[in-house]
Amino acid sequence: MSTDTSTDRARSLRGIIDATAGAVATDAGRANVVFRATGTGDDGVATDIKIGRHQVRVDEPPGLGGLDGAPNPVETALAGLLSCQVVTYRFWAAKLDIPLDDVQVETEGDLDVRGFLGLREGVRAGLGAVRVKVRLTGPASPERYRELHAAVDEHCPVLDLFSNPTPVHTELVTD
């Protein structure tokens, strides 16, 4: 990616950050956003999901009853973390005026399926560990990229979701 494109992107993101900061300063209620997704079960264990104007499909491999027609729920959660990292790196690089040409992120997580399948008491149903590897390229010094990394770790919403307990309320509706 060219430095001109990186500079243009950073300038655009700074404009968005400034506009949002101004809007929130005049009305704090504008800071609260609700995100929604709805889904319906399909063939096997697949799910068709609607997120805003977008359609997403989630499935499982055959070993877990699926057709492997799409990423599984855990993979999509890791993809959510990965993409939020990219967005947060871009925004914070612009906010801190740290030149950044490219962001590449890898995520992986460890899951013991005995917890999901109820095969062993005390085994967690969710991920036991998650690893995130970030590669930044650009003209800034390693010190500036460490500064950026710290800001992203502090402000990435999905990293926060993975790292901290989040209250969840479930409700069953039957027909």
Side-chain angles (χ1 to χ4, degrees):
M1 179 164 298
S2 74
T3 304
D4 290 342
T5 304
S6 299
T7 303
D8 291 344
R9 181 182 48 246
R11 189 175 299 119
S12 174
L13 291 175
R14 277 194 298 271
I16 291 168
I17 292 166
D18 293 345
T20 302
V24 170
T26 61
D27 180 1
R30 292 179 177 169
N32 298 311
V33 181
V34 175
F35 293 94
R36 289 183 179 81
T38 59
T40 304
D42 199 7
D43 295 333
V45 295
T47 307
D48 290 318
I49 302 168
K50 184 171 187 207
I51 306 169
R53 301 180 337 238
H54 307 282
Q55 293 292 131
V56 177
R57 187 168 176 88
V58 175
D59 198 2
E60 288 283 359
L64 290 175
L67 302 173
D68 203 21
N72 72 36
V74 174
E75 291 167 331
T76 59
L78 290 171
L81 174 58
L82 183 156
S83 59
C84 195
Q85 286 276 292
V86 171
V87 169
T88 307
Y89 269 97
R90 295 271 190 226
F91 266 83
W92 277 86
K95 185 170 180 159
L96 297 173
D97 199 27
I98 298 174
L100 180 61
D101 292 340
D102 196 19
V103 181
Q104 295 175 350
V105 181
E106 297 175 25
T107 56
E108 61 181 18
D110 303 325
L111 180 79
D112 185 334
V113 296
R114 294 176 301 172
F116 166 63
L117 297 173
L119 300 176
R120 181 156 185 190
E121 285 294 318
V123 174
R124 185 176 174 188
L127 292 169
V130 174
R131 290 168 297 284
V132 179
K133 183 188 293 184
V134 179
R135 180 178 309 281
L136 304 177
T137 54
S141 68
E143 293 80 21
R144 293 299 316 267
Y145 287 142
R146 281 193 290 278
E147 175 187 356
L148 177 57
H149 177 78
V152 170
D153 278 358
E154 184 177 349
H155 297 282
C156 178
V158 179
L159 180 61
D160 179 81
L161 182 64
F162 269 78
S163 301
N164 296 296
T166 300
V168 176
H169 169 78
T170 65
E171 176 182 351
L172 174 63
V173 178
T174 60
D175 294 328

